[in-house]
Amino acid sequence: ALAPRCGWVLPGLEQRLAVPAVVSPATARPYAAAAKTPKKDAKRTRQEKAKDKPPPRRRPLMTKPVDDVYLTWLYRRPSYDLEQAVGMLKKFQELDFTYPKQFVYINVFLDMALQKKKKVDPFSGSVTLPHRFTDEVNKVLVFTENQQEAEIAREHGAAIVGGVELIKWILEDEIQADFYVAVPAIIPKLIPLRNKLKRKYPSTRRNSLGSDIPQMLQFFRQCHEYMVEEENMIKTRIARLDMPTEHIIANLKAVIHDICTFKPSNYDPIVRRLVIRSSTSEGLLLNLDGILPEVEKGEEKEEKNAVYEDQEKPVQESVST
């Protein structure tokens, strides 16, 4: 009985319905605009304060721990002489009762920088170790179309010998080898394999292109190969732990000296840090004194520097091939 009729309108409601109300965000939230500015200003202030605040001073690392148990991050990582480190690896094996003929590895951290923001491209190398630590023989393929040279290659242990007929099989991955060598007469016909073989493509720089087939086979069947990983690091095995200490040292120095040839001597040494370990042991940081090859001093070095500056571009191109 008290409900209004359908045509009734409350006083003043008709006018409000006739003119739609336009409410601005500032009117609806009178404090919104004022609130944003202080927040931005406060954020800028905090950023400026963070920039002005000096970086936290790190506590200098201590040299040698006194106790047997200590926090490693509080102390500098100790470095060892090469002979001492090899002796420690042998001692670890005795204390842990691990396999005595396990492999010995090195992790080589490289400085690839050259002048003017240039750097040495990642590379791979092969070296003959003075003391072999495995009976494995590399599989070598010889490219030649001369029957006499082919017979010589087979007599000296070539796994595969052939001419251009091998190109198709190599492209289709039907034939694979650890190393590929060739005689100069056939090299123009092997251009289709350049992108496929990449660093293993026969070249004079890698000593895989030449006329002395027996010498090339002797080297590549027994050589030790290594390559750069992760842009600036080489991980490779160099010996077995049960070998005499002097044999392990000789193999390590042979690999390091070969690595150093990939960067001109007028720059900083390419080997920045060197770690040795066995299959089951921790890594030991080595003192580089006496490991890196000696650099010429005086006038000889100045003359070589001038030559390397003139030949810097060819050196980089040869490294990238």
Side-chain angles (χ1 to χ4, degrees):
L2 298 178
R5 295 180 182 178
C6 295
W8 288 13
V9 179
L10 296 175
L13 181 60
E14 183 178 359
Q15 297 179 357
R16 289 198 293 271
L17 293 175
V19 181
V22 179
V23 181
S24 64
T27 307
R29 300 172 61 193
Y31 299 102
K36 287 183 179 179
T37 305
K39 285 184 179 179
K40 289 184 178 179
D41 295 341
K43 188 175 182 180
R44 292 196 195 99
T45 306
R46 287 196 297 269
Q47 291 177 351
E48 291 174 359
K49 287 182 179 179
K51 290 181 180 179
D52 297 338
K53 186 178 179 181
R57 295 180 59 185
R58 290 195 62 182
R59 191 178 189 180
L61 297 178
M62 293 178 280
T63 53
K64 293 183 179 181
V66 179
D67 301 324
D68 294 336
V69 180
Y70 57 92
L71 297 174
T72 56
W73 56 271
L74 288 177
Y75 297 87
R76 298 175 190 171
R77 185 174 182 179
S79 61
Y80 305 93
D81 293 335
L82 180 53
E83 186 173 356
Q84 179 187 8
V86 174
M88 291 174 65
L89 294 182
K90 290 178 176 291
K91 191 67 176 178
F92 293 159
Q93 181 273 321
E94 294 176 0
L95 295 175
D96 296 338
F97 297 99
T98 53
Y99 184 54
K101 294 185 178 182
Q102 58 188 285
F103 289 116
V104 177
Y105 297 84
I106 56 172
N107 295 349
V108 189
F109 299 86
L110 306 175
D111 178 8
M112 309 284 275
L114 297 172
Q115 290 181 351
K116 299 179 181 178
K117 297 183 180 180
K118 297 179 181 179
K119 62 179 183 179
V120 179
D121 293 329
F123 56 86
S124 62
S126 304
V127 59
T128 301
L129 298 178
H131 305 283
R132 287 178 54 81
F133 60 91
T134 177
D135 295 331
E136 299 174 1
V137 177
N138 299 320
K139 185 178 179 180
V140 184
L141 184 149
V142 178
F143 288 108
T144 180
E145 293 181 321
N146 184 290
Q147 293 296 330
Q148 185 177 359
E149 291 176 340
E151 288 297 328
I152 294 175
R154 293 188 185 96
E155 291 174 1
H156 287 82
I160 304 171
V161 182
V164 293
E165 70 276 3
L166 299 178
I167 295 178
K168 177 184 177 182
W169 302 107
I170 295 174
L171 292 175
E172 295 177 356
D173 293 328
E174 295 292 335
I175 293 178
Q176 294 181 348
D178 297 317
F179 297 97
Y180 301 81
V181 302
V183 295
I186 198 176
I187 197 66
K189 301 178 182 179
L190 302 180
I191 294 178
L193 293 175
R194 183 181 291 273
N195 292 333
K196 179 68 175 179
L197 300 182
K198 297 181 180 178
R199 294 190 181 103
K200 293 188 176 183
Y201 186 79
S203 66
T204 53
R205 187 186 66 83
R206 292 178 56 88
N207 298 320
S208 56
L209 176 61
S211 302
D212 195 342
I213 295 177
Q215 182 179 4
M216 291 190 295
L217 283 171
Q218 181 181 3
F219 174 77
F220 286 106
R221 290 182 76 240
Q222 299 183 359
C223 71
H224 176 73
E225 186 180 27
Y226 59 86
M227 65 181 60
V228 176
E229 304 174 11
E230 303 175 7
E231 295 186 355
N232 64 342
M233 183 169 59
I234 294 174
K235 299 178 182 179
T236 185
R237 58 187 187 182
I238 59 168
R240 287 190 182 272
L241 195 56
D242 64 329
M243 293 172 59
T245 300
E246 56 271 19
H247 291 185
I248 299 176
I249 292 175
N251 283 0
L252 182 145
K253 288 185 176 181
V255 174
I256 295 300
H257 286 206
D258 194 73
I259 293 173
C260 290
T261 61
F262 284 89
K263 188 175 182 180
S265 60
N266 57 319
Y267 294 97
D268 293 334
I270 191 170
V271 177
R272 180 169 52 89
R273 197 154 55 99
L274 179 60
V275 175
I276 188 172
R277 64 178 179 84
S278 67
S279 301
T280 59
S281 75
E282 63 179 284
L284 302 177
L285 182 64
L286 293 178
N287 185 354
L288 295 178
D289 294 340
I291 298 178
L292 302 182
E294 296 182 0
V295 180
E296 297 86 354
K297 299 181 180 180
E299 298 179 357
E300 293 182 1
K301 184 177 178 181
E302 293 178 359
E303 292 176 1
K304 284 196 172 185
N305 290 351
V307 173
Y308 277 124
E309 288 176 1
D310 295 337
Q311 298 178 348
E312 180 177 342
K313 188 174 181 180
V315 167
Q316 293 180 45
E317 292 177 353
S318 64
V319 169
S320 62
T321 56

